[in-house]
Amino acid sequence: MMYEEALNYLKTAAGRGSVLGLDRVRELLHLLGDPQEKLKIVHISGTNGKGSFAAMLSSVLRSSGYRTGSFCSPAMTGVTDSYRINGAEISKKRFAELIATIQPIAESMAEKPTEFEVIAAAAYLLFVEEGCDIAVVECGMGGDGDATNLMSAPLLSVITNVALDHCGFLGNTIAEIAGHKAGIIKRGCPVYFGGKDSDALTVISEHTKQLDAPLALYDDSPLSDIKYSLDGISFNWNGERFSVPLCGTYQRDNIVNLMCCVDILRKTGLTISTDSLRRGLAETVWQGRFEVLRRDPYVVFDGAHNPDGIARAAESIEMYFPDKVVLLIGVMADKDYKLYTDMLGRFIEKVYTVTPDNPRALDSAALAEVFAEKGIPAESFEKLPDGVSAAYSHAKEKGLPMMALGSLYMYREFKEAMILITGK
């Protein structure tokens, strides 16, 4: 099977829509030999922070000598970007091989799996075939009904935080959403919760009690002397100095979650020395989270795509860029985007709105109108490259930073547009 044929099969699977329930992916994995049961897995749910946390943890585990597989979604540059072995994205050829194995098995099923179910099953198959010591696996959405949630005994279940998002699927209250996130908890297996919401904690604590699963909570008391720059973050943890090349004030919580979970993993028997931890953090690579792409003028992309993410991005803008920024933004129509103007308005010199390449995307003109109604100069573009070009020219002319916010689905096209504009 060629890569293009694999993509065509995913399009066929995507045509089946998003169907609730785990019966299909459970059957598919069983027909593949239940690869998820042959792995040590750190399973990650949460509203925000999953990707950054997973990137840091994968790097630390790799630095500690463990052959590490990682799976995240959505893919930002192409489907292979979701799969990494020891930090390296798999090849198109390797992905086609996985789908070639899965396709005939999936198509033999009476109820055929959806696109994400195929993608998730491919991750577990890959990690077994590649001889991974540990797999770091991120939920796509929610937890209990997520296609990744089929292992019986994860090494550690992590819920980074709980905030309002995907309300149409997960519920309209923190407690309801927490109930879905808590679905990744397994009997007797350690759990970490990195959030601070009391309603979420109540729900998660009840789940851990019912399943006799030891629960560890967010604890930033060992953290001190944290320093932020557009080159990364440095901090002390129990008196030891560490640094990570990630930006954004919200990374503070992701760092605390990472350090707390390293302590838990050490107690499970993993060997993670202080030197390996320091090296792994320093070598972390993660795209699309307050990522500095250019410096003259500054061009920063942050995949903040829900109210909690936008609020945290606004905090970072205020710290790094105390003057105005030129904003480019594109969002999904199912988000509470009308809240974004109040969160971001005081930082914006002008906003350029675009329509991400996704069926759920909000029309750029409708988004521009929301900003204009609050007195914020706004201009809309149907084609993302045109919006990027206009925003970048404006930023250069005014000597201001350009901030791109919104859906991760526009990350690849945004980077491609920047390369065309700047030639690098």
Side-chain angles (χ1 to χ4, degrees), residues 221-233:
S221 60
L223 179 70
S224 63
D225 194 25
I226 186 165
K227 297 187 185 319
Y228 301 90
S229 78
L230 286 168
D231 294 313
I233 301 169

